[in-house]
Amino acid sequence: MSKYDMLVVLPPMPPERYRKALIAALAPYHSELEVTPYRDYEPADPNSAYWVRANKERGTLPDRDRLGWAEVADVMNSRTGRTPGDDGYLHVDETGRGYFLTTRNPRGEWDGLSLRIEGPRLLHRPDAIADPRLVKHLHAEVPQDRDLLGGLPDRCDGGPRGLLDFEALRAAHERLAAARHDAWAAGGDEPCDWPFRFTEDRARNIARARATAVPGHALLRLDGSWTDHDDAGYLPDANAYLDALAPEAVVLDVCCHC
């Protein structure tokens, strides 16, 4: 199980509706959401599937390079006693490709939501400190080395875009990355608790800290689309999108695990 931070963007709404709207927006990406059965294909070459290789090593399947899916299906279905319609029955399509029928959500990204244990990740404008539209959860006290923004004022967990200060957050991460790099270069411990690995290039570390400060691992946009670090150009696209949001759009920081 792993945890990651993400931002969810919602249309303008009162704060009492934030949580319900957040869960509804993320629902299509719940890994335990069942969908209409579909074909979940195995690799074209069965010999590249880890479970096929494991069964070849155990002697369950013939240890041949040209082993095809039809033979794999015959052996494995017979050995397990599965018939069409059973869970785990290995099918073979008209092209000879193996697949399983599944109801697992192909868009599944999370199986649970929770508060961050490291403290609030976003910053709000100083003049918005008393605005009831800001989200401020109660966070347990944690060691400072696990809380990148430890000691900074004006922290929050989200709210209308116009109340949040993304530029101040980026600047804070730049300062912190520079200080951590300098301490490391002077013989200290390698910086940790960052969404990227530090290198000896100080300028690169600072630039990377700025780019990763706001978006987090993933971003759910107003149109319901999901993008994350696995997508090409994620960071510049996510930052540009967040900067261009209308002031009334609600941005919430969420800790997910999967």
Side-chain angles (χ1 to χ4, degrees), residues 90-121:
L90 178 58
H91 300 261
V92 180
D93 71 8
E94 58 279 359
T95 69
R97 180 86 173 267
Y99 68 91
F100 295 96
L101 285 177
T102 183
T103 58
R104 184 181 67 250
N105 185 5
R107 297 197 296 170
E109 299 285 356
W110 62 274
D111 60 18
L113 308 173
S114 65
L115 301 182
R116 303 180 71 251
I117 64 171
E118 292 84 359
R121 192 175 70 83

Side-chain angles (χ1 to χ4, degrees), residues 150-220:
L152 288 183
D154 304 328
R155 300 177 64 181
C156 69
D157 297 284
R161 167 65 183 95
L163 302 183
L164 304 179
D165 197 337
F166 289 163
E167 198 54 39
L169 183 59
R170 292 176 181 125
H173 277 254
E174 286 182 318
R175 292 193 302 270
L176 185 55
R180 294 286 178 88
H181 175 94
D182 293 343
W184 177 40
D189 294 333
E190 181 177 357
C192 59
D193 294 318
W194 292 78
F196 63 93
R197 187 176 181 85
F198 271 58
T199 70
E200 295 182 359
D201 187 335
R202 185 177 189 273
R204 183 182 185 280
N205 294 336
I206 295 174
R208 189 69 172 169
R210 178 180 178 82
T212 59
V214 178
H217 172 79
L219 171 66
L220 186 68

Side-chain angles (χ1 to χ4, degrees), residues 20-91:
K20 185 175 181 179
L22 168 74
I23 294 174
L26 286 171
Y29 301 95
H30 191 189
S31 60
E32 296 180 8
L33 176 68
E34 289 195 357
V35 299
T36 302
Y38 66 95
R39 294 182 178 186
D40 187 15
Y41 275 95
E42 292 293 304
D45 178 11
N47 303 284
S48 66
Y50 76 92
W51 64 268
V52 171
R53 294 197 301 271
N55 277 283
K56 288 167 69 173
E57 292 173 0
R58 288 194 291 263
T60 305
L61 290 168
D63 191 4
R64 296 197 308 272
D65 291 339
R66 292 193 174 185
L67 190 65
W69 279 117
E71 188 172 359
V72 173
D74 286 342
V75 172
M76 299 307 295
N77 289 333
S78 175
R79 184 177 180 82
T80 59
R82 292 189 174 96
T83 59
D86 292 340
D87 289 339
Y89 180 85
L90 178 58
H91 300 261

Side-chain angles (χ1 to χ4, degrees), residues 223-238:
D223 63 2
S225 61
W226 176 294
T227 56
D228 59 36
H229 270 284
D230 292 332
D231 298 316
Y234 168 68
L235 287 174
D237 289 348

